[in-house]
Short mmCIF file of all heavy atoms in Angstrom, two decimals:
data_model
loop_
_atom_site.label_atom_id
_atom_site.label_comp_id
_atom_site.label_asym_id
_atom_site.label_seq_id
_atom_site.Cartn_x
_atom_site.Cartn_y
_atom_site.Cartn_z
N VAL A 944 -3.77 1.48 -11.72
CA VAL A 944 -2.81 2.04 -10.77
C VAL A 944 -3.45 3.31 -10.22
O VAL A 944 -3.96 4.13 -10.99
CB VAL A 944 -1.47 2.38 -11.45
CG1 VAL A 944 -0.52 3.04 -10.46
CG2 VAL A 944 -0.84 1.14 -12.06
N ILE A 945 -3.45 3.48 -8.90
CA ILE A 945 -4.03 4.68 -8.29
C ILE A 945 -2.92 5.62 -7.87
O ILE A 945 -2.00 5.22 -7.13
CB ILE A 945 -4.92 4.31 -7.08
CG1 ILE A 945 -6.12 3.49 -7.55
CG2 ILE A 945 -5.40 5.56 -6.35
CD1 ILE A 945 -7.01 2.98 -6.42
N LEU A 946 -2.98 6.85 -8.35
CA LEU A 946 -2.01 7.88 -7.96
C LEU A 946 -2.72 8.94 -7.12
O LEU A 946 -3.68 9.56 -7.59
CB LEU A 946 -1.40 8.55 -9.19
CG LEU A 946 -0.66 7.65 -10.20
CD1 LEU A 946 0.00 8.51 -11.27
CD2 LEU A 946 0.39 6.79 -9.50
N VAL A 947 -2.27 9.12 -5.89
CA VAL A 947 -2.81 10.18 -5.04
C VAL A 947 -1.97 11.42 -5.31
O VAL A 947 -0.85 11.56 -4.82
CB VAL A 947 -2.76 9.77 -3.55
CG1 VAL A 947 -3.40 10.84 -2.68
CG2 VAL A 947 -3.46 8.43 -3.34
N ASN A 948 -2.51 12.32 -6.13
CA ASN A 948 -1.77 13.51 -6.58
C ASN A 948 -1.94 14.66 -5.58
O ASN A 948 -2.81 14.62 -4.72
CB ASN A 948 -2.28 13.93 -7.97
CG ASN A 948 -1.40 14.97 -8.62
OD1 ASN A 948 -0.21 15.06 -8.34
ND2 ASN A 948 -1.99 15.79 -9.47
N LYS A 949 -1.10 15.67 -5.73
CA LYS A 949 -1.09 16.86 -4.86
C LYS A 949 -0.74 16.50 -3.41
O LYS A 949 -1.21 17.14 -2.47
CB LYS A 949 -2.44 17.59 -4.92
CG LYS A 949 -2.90 17.94 -6.33
CD LYS A 949 -4.19 18.73 -6.34
CE LYS A 949 -4.69 18.95 -7.76
NZ LYS A 949 -5.97 19.67 -7.82
N TRP A 950 0.08 15.44 -3.26
CA TRP A 950 0.46 14.99 -1.92
C TRP A 950 1.29 16.04 -1.19
O TRP A 950 1.34 16.07 0.03
CB TRP A 950 1.22 13.66 -2.02
CG TRP A 950 1.38 12.95 -0.71
CD1 TRP A 950 2.55 12.60 -0.12
CD2 TRP A 950 0.35 12.50 0.17
NE1 TRP A 950 2.32 11.95 1.07
CE2 TRP A 950 0.96 11.88 1.28
CE3 TRP A 950 -1.03 12.56 0.14
CZ2 TRP A 950 0.26 11.33 2.34
CZ3 TRP A 950 -1.76 12.02 1.20
CH2 TRP A 950 -1.11 11.41 2.28
N ASP A 951 1.92 16.94 -1.96
CA ASP A 951 2.72 18.00 -1.34
C ASP A 951 1.85 19.05 -0.63
O ASP A 951 2.34 19.82 0.18
CB ASP A 951 3.58 18.69 -2.41
CG ASP A 951 2.74 19.19 -3.59
OD1 ASP A 951 1.90 18.40 -4.07
OD2 ASP A 951 2.91 20.34 -4.02
N LEU A 952 0.54 19.06 -0.94
CA LEU A 952 -0.35 20.05 -0.33
C LEU A 952 -1.02 19.54 0.95
O LEU A 952 -1.73 20.28 1.62
CB LEU A 952 -1.45 20.45 -1.32
CG LEU A 952 -0.99 21.02 -2.66
CD1 LEU A 952 -2.19 21.36 -3.52
CD2 LEU A 952 -0.12 22.26 -2.44
N VAL A 953 -0.77 18.27 1.28
CA VAL A 953 -1.44 17.67 2.44
C VAL A 953 -0.54 17.75 3.66
O VAL A 953 0.65 17.41 3.58
CB VAL A 953 -1.81 16.19 2.15
CG1 VAL A 953 -2.43 15.52 3.37
CG2 VAL A 953 -2.76 16.11 0.96
N GLU A 954 -1.11 18.18 4.78
CA GLU A 954 -0.35 18.18 6.04
C GLU A 954 -0.21 16.74 6.51
O GLU A 954 -1.19 16.01 6.62
CB GLU A 954 -1.08 19.01 7.10
CG GLU A 954 -1.06 20.50 6.82
CD GLU A 954 -1.67 21.30 7.95
OE1 GLU A 954 -1.78 20.75 9.07
OE2 GLU A 954 -2.04 22.46 7.71
N LYS A 955 1.03 16.35 6.82
CA LYS A 955 1.27 14.93 7.11
C LYS A 955 1.82 14.74 8.53
O LYS A 955 2.50 15.60 9.07
CB LYS A 955 2.28 14.35 6.11
CG LYS A 955 1.90 14.54 4.66
CD LYS A 955 3.01 14.13 3.75
CE LYS A 955 2.99 14.81 2.41
NZ LYS A 955 2.71 16.21 2.38
N ASP A 956 1.53 13.57 9.08
CA ASP A 956 2.23 13.11 10.27
C ASP A 956 2.79 11.73 9.94
O ASP A 956 2.70 11.29 8.80
CB ASP A 956 1.29 13.08 11.50
CG ASP A 956 0.05 12.24 11.26
OD1 ASP A 956 0.19 11.16 10.65
OD2 ASP A 956 -1.05 12.64 11.66
N THR A 957 3.32 11.03 10.89
CA THR A 957 3.99 9.75 10.59
C THR A 957 3.02 8.69 10.07
O THR A 957 3.43 7.73 9.44
CB THR A 957 4.67 9.21 11.87
OG1 THR A 957 3.71 9.20 12.92
CG2 THR A 957 5.86 10.07 12.25
N MET A 958 1.74 8.84 10.33
CA MET A 958 0.77 7.83 9.92
C MET A 958 -0.01 8.21 8.66
O MET A 958 -0.81 7.42 8.18
CB MET A 958 -0.24 7.60 11.07
CG MET A 958 0.37 7.13 12.37
SD MET A 958 0.94 5.44 12.25
CE MET A 958 -0.60 4.57 12.45
N SER A 959 0.19 9.41 8.14
CA SER A 959 -0.68 9.91 7.07
C SER A 959 -0.79 8.96 5.88
O SER A 959 -1.89 8.62 5.47
CB SER A 959 -0.17 11.26 6.57
OG SER A 959 -0.47 12.25 7.49
N THR A 960 0.35 8.55 5.32
CA THR A 960 0.33 7.73 4.11
C THR A 960 -0.39 6.41 4.36
O THR A 960 -1.25 6.00 3.59
CB THR A 960 1.78 7.45 3.63
OG1 THR A 960 2.46 8.69 3.54
CG2 THR A 960 1.78 6.78 2.29
N ARG A 961 -0.04 5.76 5.47
CA ARG A 961 -0.64 4.45 5.76
C ARG A 961 -2.15 4.57 5.98
O ARG A 961 -2.93 3.77 5.45
CB ARG A 961 0.03 3.83 7.00
CG ARG A 961 -0.33 2.35 7.16
CD ARG A 961 0.36 1.74 8.34
NE ARG A 961 -0.25 2.19 9.60
CZ ARG A 961 0.14 1.78 10.79
NH1 ARG A 961 1.17 0.97 10.91
NH2 ARG A 961 -0.46 2.20 11.88
N ASP A 962 -2.56 5.58 6.76
CA ASP A 962 -3.98 5.75 7.04
C ASP A 962 -4.76 6.06 5.76
O ASP A 962 -5.85 5.54 5.54
CB ASP A 962 -4.19 6.89 8.05
CG ASP A 962 -3.68 6.52 9.44
OD1 ASP A 962 -3.39 5.32 9.64
OD2 ASP A 962 -3.56 7.41 10.30
N TYR A 963 -4.19 6.90 4.93
CA TYR A 963 -4.84 7.30 3.68
C TYR A 963 -5.01 6.08 2.78
O TYR A 963 -6.07 5.86 2.19
CB TYR A 963 -3.98 8.36 3.00
CG TYR A 963 -4.74 9.31 2.09
CD1 TYR A 963 -5.00 10.61 2.47
CD2 TYR A 963 -5.17 8.89 0.83
CE1 TYR A 963 -5.68 11.49 1.62
CE2 TYR A 963 -5.84 9.76 -0.01
CZ TYR A 963 -6.09 11.05 0.39
OH TYR A 963 -6.77 11.91 -0.45
N GLU A 964 -3.94 5.27 2.70
CA GLU A 964 -3.98 4.07 1.86
C GLU A 964 -5.01 3.07 2.37
O GLU A 964 -5.77 2.49 1.58
CB GLU A 964 -2.59 3.44 1.81
CG GLU A 964 -2.51 2.25 0.86
CD GLU A 964 -1.10 1.70 0.73
OE1 GLU A 964 -0.12 2.48 0.85
OE2 GLU A 964 -0.98 0.48 0.50
N LEU A 965 -5.04 2.86 3.69
CA LEU A 965 -6.02 1.92 4.27
C LEU A 965 -7.45 2.36 3.97
O LEU A 965 -8.31 1.53 3.67
CB LEU A 965 -5.82 1.81 5.79
CG LEU A 965 -4.65 0.94 6.25
CD1 LEU A 965 -4.45 1.07 7.76
CD2 LEU A 965 -4.91 -0.53 5.88
N LYS A 966 -7.68 3.66 4.05
CA LYS A 966 -9.02 4.19 3.78
C LYS A 966 -9.44 3.91 2.34
O LYS A 966 -10.57 3.52 2.07
CB LYS A 966 -9.04 5.69 4.07
CG LYS A 966 -10.42 6.27 4.16
CD LYS A 966 -10.38 7.73 4.57
CE LYS A 966 -11.79 8.32 4.58
NZ LYS A 966 -11.79 9.76 4.85
N ILE A 967 -8.50 4.11 1.40
CA ILE A 967 -8.80 3.83 0.00
C ILE A 967 -9.10 2.35 -0.19
O ILE A 967 -10.06 1.97 -0.86
CB ILE A 967 -7.64 4.27 -0.92
CG1 ILE A 967 -7.51 5.81 -0.91
CG2 ILE A 967 -7.85 3.78 -2.35
CD1 ILE A 967 -6.31 6.33 -1.68
N ARG A 968 -8.26 1.49 0.40
CA ARG A 968 -8.44 0.04 0.21
C ARG A 968 -9.78 -0.44 0.79
O ARG A 968 -10.39 -1.37 0.27
CB ARG A 968 -7.27 -0.74 0.82
CG ARG A 968 -5.96 -0.49 0.08
CD ARG A 968 -4.91 -1.52 0.37
NE ARG A 968 -3.62 -1.13 -0.20
CZ ARG A 968 -3.29 -1.26 -1.47
NH1 ARG A 968 -4.15 -1.79 -2.32
NH2 ARG A 968 -2.10 -0.87 -1.91
N GLU A 969 -10.22 0.19 1.87
CA GLU A 969 -11.55 -0.16 2.41
C GLU A 969 -12.64 0.11 1.38
O GLU A 969 -13.59 -0.65 1.25
CB GLU A 969 -11.82 0.67 3.68
CG GLU A 969 -11.16 0.12 4.93
CD GLU A 969 -11.36 1.02 6.14
OE1 GLU A 969 -12.32 1.82 6.12
OE2 GLU A 969 -10.55 0.95 7.07
N GLU A 970 -12.49 1.22 0.66
CA GLU A 970 -13.50 1.59 -0.34
C GLU A 970 -13.45 0.67 -1.57
O GLU A 970 -14.43 0.56 -2.30
CB GLU A 970 -13.28 3.04 -0.79
CG GLU A 970 -13.35 4.08 0.31
CD GLU A 970 -14.76 4.29 0.83
OE1 GLU A 970 -15.71 3.80 0.18
OE2 GLU A 970 -14.92 4.92 1.89
N LEU A 971 -12.29 0.04 -1.80
CA LEU A 971 -12.12 -0.78 -3.01
C LEU A 971 -12.58 -2.22 -2.83
O LEU A 971 -12.58 -2.98 -3.79
CB LEU A 971 -10.65 -0.79 -3.44
CG LEU A 971 -10.01 0.54 -3.82
CD1 LEU A 971 -8.59 0.32 -4.28
CD2 LEU A 971 -10.81 1.24 -4.91
N GLN A 972 -12.92 -2.61 -1.61
CA GLN A 972 -13.26 -4.02 -1.38
C GLN A 972 -14.38 -4.47 -2.33
O GLN A 972 -15.28 -3.69 -2.62
CB GLN A 972 -13.68 -4.21 0.07
CG GLN A 972 -12.52 -4.09 1.03
CD GLN A 972 -12.91 -4.31 2.47
OE1 GLN A 972 -14.07 -4.44 2.80
NE2 GLN A 972 -11.93 -4.34 3.34
N PRO A 973 -14.33 -5.74 -2.81
CA PRO A 973 -13.41 -6.81 -2.43
C PRO A 973 -12.08 -6.83 -3.19
O PRO A 973 -11.21 -7.63 -2.88
CB PRO A 973 -14.21 -8.07 -2.78
CG PRO A 973 -15.04 -7.65 -3.96
CD PRO A 973 -15.37 -6.20 -3.74
N TRP A 974 -11.90 -5.98 -4.21
CA TRP A 974 -10.64 -6.02 -4.97
C TRP A 974 -9.69 -4.95 -4.43
O TRP A 974 -9.78 -3.79 -4.76
CB TRP A 974 -10.90 -5.79 -6.46
CG TRP A 974 -9.66 -5.90 -7.28
CD1 TRP A 974 -8.61 -6.74 -7.06
CD2 TRP A 974 -9.31 -5.14 -8.44
NE1 TRP A 974 -7.62 -6.55 -8.02
CE2 TRP A 974 -8.03 -5.58 -8.88
CE3 TRP A 974 -9.94 -4.14 -9.15
CZ2 TRP A 974 -7.39 -5.05 -10.00
CZ3 TRP A 974 -9.31 -3.62 -10.27
CH2 TRP A 974 -8.05 -4.07 -10.69
N THR A 975 -8.78 -5.39 -3.57
CA THR A 975 -7.88 -4.44 -2.91
C THR A 975 -6.42 -4.58 -3.37
O THR A 975 -5.57 -3.81 -2.93
CB THR A 975 -7.93 -4.61 -1.39
OG1 THR A 975 -7.57 -5.97 -1.07
CG2 THR A 975 -9.32 -4.31 -0.85
N ASP A 976 -6.15 -5.54 -4.25
CA ASP A 976 -4.77 -5.79 -4.70
C ASP A 976 -4.41 -4.82 -5.83
O ASP A 976 -4.20 -5.21 -6.98
CB ASP A 976 -4.63 -7.24 -5.15
CG ASP A 976 -3.18 -7.63 -5.43
OD1 ASP A 976 -2.28 -6.94 -4.91
OD2 ASP A 976 -2.96 -8.59 -6.18
N VAL A 977 -4.40 -3.53 -5.48
CA VAL A 977 -4.16 -2.47 -6.46
C VAL A 977 -3.04 -1.57 -5.93
O VAL A 977 -3.07 -1.17 -4.77
CB VAL A 977 -5.44 -1.62 -6.66
CG1 VAL A 977 -5.19 -0.49 -7.64
CG2 VAL A 977 -6.58 -2.49 -7.14
N PRO A 978 -2.03 -1.25 -6.75
CA PRO A 978 -0.96 -0.36 -6.28
C PRO A 978 -1.47 1.06 -6.06
O PRO A 978 -2.19 1.60 -6.90
CB PRO A 978 0.08 -0.42 -7.40
CG PRO A 978 -0.62 -0.94 -8.59
CD PRO A 978 -1.78 -1.73 -8.12
N ILE A 979 -1.09 1.66 -4.92
CA ILE A 979 -1.47 3.04 -4.60
C ILE A 979 -0.18 3.81 -4.33
O ILE A 979 0.60 3.44 -3.45
CB ILE A 979 -2.40 3.09 -3.36
CG1 ILE A 979 -3.68 2.30 -3.63
CG2 ILE A 979 -2.72 4.54 -2.99
CD1 ILE A 979 -4.56 2.11 -2.40
N LEU A 980 0.06 4.88 -5.09
CA LEU A 980 1.27 5.68 -4.93
C LEU A 980 0.89 7.12 -4.61
O LEU A 980 -0.10 7.64 -5.12
CB LEU A 980 2.13 5.65 -6.19
CG LEU A 980 2.91 4.37 -6.46
CD1 LEU A 980 2.07 3.39 -7.23
CD2 LEU A 980 4.18 4.66 -7.24
N PHE A 981 1.71 7.78 -3.81
CA PHE A 981 1.48 9.17 -3.42
C PHE A 981 2.46 10.04 -4.19
O PHE A 981 3.68 9.92 -4.03
CB PHE A 981 1.65 9.33 -1.90
CG PHE A 981 0.62 8.56 -1.13
CD1 PHE A 981 0.78 7.20 -0.87
CD2 PHE A 981 -0.55 9.17 -0.70
CE1 PHE A 981 -0.19 6.48 -0.19
CE2 PHE A 981 -1.51 8.47 -0.01
CZ PHE A 981 -1.34 7.12 0.23
N VAL A 982 1.94 10.89 -5.07
CA VAL A 982 2.79 11.63 -6.00
C VAL A 982 2.45 13.12 -5.98
O VAL A 982 1.44 13.54 -5.40
CB VAL A 982 2.64 11.09 -7.45
CG1 VAL A 982 2.94 9.62 -7.53
CG2 VAL A 982 1.24 11.39 -8.00
N SER A 983 3.28 13.89 -6.63
CA SER A 983 2.99 15.31 -6.85
C SER A 983 3.46 15.68 -8.25
O SER A 983 4.66 15.60 -8.54
CB SER A 983 3.69 16.18 -5.82
OG SER A 983 3.63 17.54 -6.22
N ALA A 984 2.52 16.04 -9.13
CA ALA A 984 2.88 16.44 -10.49
C ALA A 984 3.66 17.75 -10.46
O ALA A 984 4.52 17.99 -11.31
CB ALA A 984 1.62 16.59 -11.33
N LEU A 985 3.38 18.58 -9.45
CA LEU A 985 4.03 19.90 -9.37
C LEU A 985 5.51 19.76 -9.02
O LEU A 985 6.37 20.36 -9.67
CB LEU A 985 3.30 20.76 -8.33
CG LEU A 985 3.66 22.24 -8.31
CD1 LEU A 985 3.21 22.91 -9.60
CD2 LEU A 985 3.01 22.93 -7.11
#
C-alpha cells in the first residue's frame, strides 16, 4: 500500500491528486494495481 504523506504541505489544484497518482503509476509499470492514498500523519 502506498501512502503519500505530508499531503497537507502540498499546494493543490483540482487536478493535483489525480496527476500525482498517475505519475506514481507510470513509475510502477508493469505492476500498477496498487492502492495509493494521500494522507497526513500530522
Side-chain angles (χ1 to χ4, degrees):
V944 177
I945 295 175
L946 302 186
V947 183
N948 191 27
K949 306 184 186 178
W950 193 239
D951 53 314
L952 302 180
V953 177
E954 290 186 19
K955 305 172 206 43
D956 55 42
T957 51
M958 300 289 280
S959 285
T960 308
R961 193 178 74 178
D962 291 348
Y963 206 105
E964 185 175 329
L965 283 172
K966 194 174 177 186
I967 292 175
R968 293 198 189 281
E969 279 176 22
E970 301 289 348
L971 299 183
Q972 289 182 353
W974 184 34
T975 58
D976 189 21
V977 178
I979 300 171
L980 285 88
F981 295 83
V982 303
S983 168
L985 192 66

